[in-house]
Amino acid sequence: MPTATFLNTLSIDIPWLEQVVPKDKRQAIQRRIDHQLKPPGALGALETIMRQWASCAYLQGKSGPLQVSSPRLIIFAADHGVAAERVSLAGSEVTPVMVERFLAGDAAVSVAARQSGVELEIVDCGVEQPIPSHPRVTACRLGAGTGAIHKEPAMSLETAAEGMNKGIEVARERCAAGMDLMCVGEMGIANTTAAAALMAGLTGYAPAACTGIGTGIDADTLAHKRTLVDKALVLHLPSAKNDPLLLAARLGGFEIVVMAGALLGAAEQGVISVIDGFVAGVAACLACALVPSVKDYLIFAHSGGEQGHSALLEYLEVKALMGLRLRIGEGVGSALLVPTIRTALACYNDMASITEVGLSS
């Protein structure tokens, strides 16, 4: 199978992802769904999941029932230099505390993952203070937090490429160990600031439309946050425009580039990923900017309450499967969607057809 790697040329090539399900197979999948014991389209978004999963299984040459047996939620954690400007309710000291609670099992994402039957792990992409060794922590550190994007690049172009490679390798290793669904989340104080700047750079949208309240900041802090995003774009956009990886190096975060690489690595292996909220959505946007066809392997869990999230989904021309008004990040939304995915696949496998019960189509 062709492999994905950022080389010295800082390019990526996954020709296998360009394969398209033939028209007759697409029609056969749709026919099966439409002829199940229900009105056509009556299962709504569950039918979207059925089509996407069946199509990916076909491209992988898989036969038999569609199923999720080994889902995994990976939280990508890192710190941001811009956090020193107090664009969040708390400072970078909170990042390792939250990671500790993820592992202890009493954070929101820990509870959601446990209820959904999803294994949880942390990838340390560059938390200021390295996360202590733990069986469920993988070190993919690119540094001890990024540069402050309103004054300097977040990282070098070489570091961004290294982060993409690390993410690809994480996904390959998990897929080789049996992961058949990857859910992604993130942790890092001030990462909505970096994500907003990167979204504006990738989409061309106005910075104010991309920059929201994050942890729940007040109006004055939001105005300050937007000023810093404006400064970052004025500083970096002229030299990085139309180059997604360079934009990520100038404006993004360690967790964003590693997560984007993981999305490409999972797709390379034929494994679908569930995207959580705003920051994960920006990582998905970066992955799609680099390899547009990766979008076929992404499911967007929810449309959250963070400013810019709905606009980002519209830009990507995708629909989120849940509302819920989540604004917590961490991967809570992606964990919550797993039981729905399992139900959709069970319906595809097990529902009777109209003809089987003696009805005409």
Side-chain angles (χ1 to χ4, degrees):
M1 179 182 297
T3 57
T5 308
F6 281 85
L7 305 173
N8 292 333
T9 57
L10 302 177
S11 63
I12 192 165
D13 181 28
I14 319 180
W16 173 77
L17 276 179
E18 301 299 333
Q19 292 184 19
V20 176
V21 179
K23 182 179 179 180
D24 61 340
K25 183 60 180 178
R26 293 198 308 272
Q27 291 174 334
I29 292 170
Q30 188 62 55
R31 202 159 44 241
R32 172 173 177 154
I33 295 170
D34 287 344
H35 288 185
Q36 289 179 314
L37 192 57
K38 59 176 178 57
L43 286 177
L46 270 66
E47 297 187 20
T48 302
I49 295 171
M50 294 177 193
R51 282 191 297 272
Q52 187 172 5
W53 211 279
S55 297
C56 291
Y58 171 81
L59 289 176
Q60 280 287 291
K62 296 177 180 176
S63 59
L66 305 181
Q67 61 181 349
V68 175
S69 58
S70 298
R72 180 169 288 265
L73 170 56
I74 304 177
I75 302 175
F76 298 84
D79 279 314
H80 296 260
V82 74
E85 298 295 324
R86 291 297 172 182
V87 291
S88 302
L89 290 180
S92 295
E93 68 276 2
V94 170
T95 304
V97 174
M98 288 306 302
V99 169
E100 180 182 345
R101 299 332 305 172
F102 297 159
L103 295 170
D106 53 12
V109 69
S110 311
V111 175
R114 190 162 55 245
Q115 289 299 310
S116 297
V118 182
E119 291 290 327
L120 183 151
E121 72 168 290
I122 314 297
V123 173
D124 181 359
C125 307
V127 177
E128 192 172 292
Q129 296 297 323
I131 301 171
S133 178
H134 188 282
R136 288 190 285 130
V137 173
T138 299
C140 288
R141 293 180 58 79
L142 301 175
T146 62
I149 59 173
H150 64 297
K151 298 189 294 187
E152 60 184 327
M155 68 196 84
S156 70
L157 184 58
E158 292 72 21
T159 299
E162 179 187 355
M164 296 291 297
N165 279 331
K166 285 179 180 291
I168 289 168
E169 286 304 318
V170 165
R172 284 178 182 161
E173 290 172 5
R174 302 306 177 271
C175 291
M179 179 181 72
D180 54 8
L181 177 66
M182 184 173 76
C183 303
V184 297
E186 40 65 32
M187 179 62 216
I189 298 301
N191 62 7
T192 59
T193 304
L198 182 54
M199 175 185 166
L202 290 170
T203 65
Y205 287 3
C210 305
T211 312
I213 62 174
T215 51
I217 55 178
D218 60 24
D220 289 341
T221 307
L222 176 59
H224 174 56
K225 179 178 179 179
R226 287 177 169 167
T227 296
L228 296 182
V229 170
D230 286 338
K231 287 182 177 180
L233 289 164
V234 168
L235 179 61
H236 301 300
L237 198 55
S239 62
K241 193 174 183 179
N242 300 321
D243 187 333
L245 189 60
L246 186 57
L247 280 170
R250 297 288 188 266
L251 299 167
F254 293 151
E255 79 277 41
I256 293 174
V257 295
V258 177
M259 192 189 315
L263 297 176
L264 295 177
E268 175 201 78
Q269 302 300 315
V271 170
I272 287 175
S273 297
V274 182
I275 310 302
D276 183 41
F278 177 61
V279 177
V282 172
C285 187
L286 173 60
C288 290
L290 293 164
V291 183
S293 52
V294 74
K295 189 166 71 172
D296 293 338
Y297 292 83
L298 306 180
I299 293 176
F300 292 80
H302 68 99
S303 179
E306 178 64 10
Q307 175 81 15
H309 196 186
S310 294
L312 180 65
L313 297 174
E314 288 178 8
Y315 175 82
L316 291 170
E317 298 181 334
V318 296
K319 291 185 178 180
L321 300 189
M322 300 186 296
L324 301 181
R325 301 185 302 279
L326 298 175
R327 193 170 44 80
I328 191 170
E330 301 180 4
V332 172
S334 57
L336 290 175
L337 191 63
V338 173
T340 300
I341 293 173
R342 284 187 162 126
T343 299
L345 302 186
C347 287
Y348 185 85
N349 296 330
D350 300 338
M351 281 183 68
S353 70
I354 292 173
T355 55
E356 284 173 341
V357 299
L359 298 175
S360 59
S361 57

